[in-house]
Amino acid sequence: MEPGGSSGVGSVNSGTYTPEIAESLRFEEEIQSLIDPSFDASSAAGGSFTALLGLPANQAVELLHHPGPGEPPASAASSSPIAGDLWRLRLVEQHAVTDTLRLPFGCSSTFPSDAALVERAARFSVFATDDSPASSSGGGLSPELKAEPPDSHSPPTLPVPAEKPRRPSKRKECEKSKAKAVAKKSKSAEENTSAAKPAAEENTSGDKLPYVHVRARRGQATDSHSLAERARREKINARMKLLQELVPGCSKITGTALVLDEIINHVQSLQRQVEFLSMKLAAVNPRIDFSGLDHILSAECGPLAMGSGCGGGASDPATWASETAASTGGIRRMPPPQQIWHLDLVHPQQSSTVWENNGAAHPHFLLSPATSLVGYDPASSVPLNSNQLKTEL
Amino acid sequence: MLAFRFLRALTLVHRTTPNSSNAARSRRIQRAAFASMAYSAGPRRAWSRALLCRFHFHRARRRCAGRSRTAGVPRRPSTTGSPADGLRRLVPGGTEMDYCSLLEETADYIRCLSKQVKLMQSIVDSVGPGGR
């Protein structure tokens, strides 16, 4: 045992040999012998660990340091984590590659890089062959064993590995929760929603790394019913937001009932305003100025006002008929264009030419009650017809 | 669009009922306002369809249409039933809609109503204080 250990250590001597490595080697082999009485320490030492150490030291270091490239490892700090991690790696890789998936779920954060380490270690064929011994032994012992070294190595090693792979721990958490999400998606886990929702919300708030967007959100039910319900709720919330923006003073209010009350109040007030204004308009016989009309229509819909209906179809043929009957001859210079200038506003383009032809007649048609209202022409042809207007009104 | 229709309807009302009282005329004007709103909104909207239906089918019974249209319905506390009951009564055609589309229709209705109010207000303003 001793020569094997020393030989293993000796091969590393040029690189990162410290007394701690020797210590860890001795610990490891003793514990291995405890686990498996048939364990041949020398052969094991000659096996994976020395194989690990048989790698060029810098490769092993790289292997161990790859999870945390950002942190500049001090030499002293690097050696002890190497020792600790090597130790853990040794135990870990012995219990088969199949056990690796257990690690992220079972472990505490004291073994943060183990999963990544083991993945990379598995790439090396040397380790793959070594899972046979004691793979069946102490699957339950391994967590205890893993719990032990932190206690033994605790002061120098724990803070550093705790700090060092913070990013990979986050990544691992992300992977962990990704796996969880996938697992939850595969089984319809309705019962998890209530328990997992607060955890999921906490996860989603804390996790900054991008993750694959699964249709069922993390920690939420994947039931088709609940998906549809959630979509519906989101629709409703979006529309409530729109309404809140429409109604003045509603955005500050929280709570759907109050917002709804506010909306109802607003609609009622608008309808009352319409009623009041219609009363006013009834009393006032609007002698609408052309300039005033300009104001109104430009305020309401600017360029659109030019397009008056040009289609032949009249929506109120009855009114047309009554109007033409009631009109006096002097006013109606052009009956056909009147019909064309109906307010259907179907073909604004065509109407523009009509307007140009009858430029002088426009305001007249606009303001005379005998004709229906067709639009306005910003061209200043008012003075021509003002006397006619007066006769009409 | 809204302006055209409304102004036309307004002038029509003034022309055809010069002798009737102000109240009757205001009723007609109000109806004309809603009609022009509905026409300008088009048949795409549920509320405008409901309004147009009301005008077309209840033309003979104007009083009914007027009564059902006005917002004078007292708002009952919405402890029973869904919270959107008051809204359903206000928005035309709101009784037969699901909650989601009710909210959408309400938004459109509010937009159109505010346009109409602005238009009417500007007409009143343009006529000026010397109108009476």
Side-chain angles (χ1 to χ4, degrees), chain A residues 271 274-275 278, chain B residues 26-34 69-70:
Chain A
Q271 284 172 335
V274 168
E275 203 176 330
S278 69
Chain B
S26 77
R27 270 277 178 261
R28 292 189 67 184
I29 288 175
Q30 196 180 356
R31 223 171 127 250
F34 279 104
R69 194 184 355 106
T70 56

Side-chain angles (χ1 to χ4, degrees), chain B residues 22-66:
Chain B
N22 274 358
R25 240 186 304 176
S26 77
R27 270 277 178 261
R28 292 189 67 184
I29 288 175
Q30 196 180 356
R31 223 171 127 250
F34 279 104
S36 58
M37 264 172 58
Y39 273 113
S40 66
R44 283 177 287 114
R45 285 286 164 194
W47 65 266
S48 63
R49 281 196 298 267
L51 267 181
L52 292 176
C53 278
R54 212 186 283 170
F55 290 138
H56 282 295
F57 295 146
H58 298 290
R59 209 183 300 175
R61 297 179 277 155
R62 280 184 195 167
R63 281 180 200 160
C64 292

Side-chain angles (χ1 to χ4, degrees), chain A residues 239 246 261 264 271 275 277-279 281-286 296-297 300-301 305 342-343 345 369 373 375, chain B residues 1 3-4 7-8 14-15 25-26 29-30 71 75 87 90 99-100 104 107 109 119-121 126-127 132:
Chain A
R239 287 181 186 167
L246 269 183
D261 283 347
I264 289 173
Q271 284 172 335
E275 203 176 330
L277 287 169
S278 69
M279 259 183 5
L281 284 174
V284 177
N285 194 353
I296 298 166
L297 295 177
E300 216 262 322
C301 49
H342 192 78
L343 278 178
L345 300 177
L373 211 58
Chain B
M1 268 283 280
F4 286 144
L7 285 169
R8 173 176 76 134
H14 276 289
R15 184 179 58 81
R25 240 186 304 176
S26 77
I29 288 175
Q30 196 180 356
R75 187 161 56 89
L87 205 53
L90 283 177
Y99 189 59
C100 200
E104 199 177 338
Y109 188 58
L119 170 68
M120 290 171 81
Q121 187 67 51
S126 70
V127 168
R132 293 209 173 192

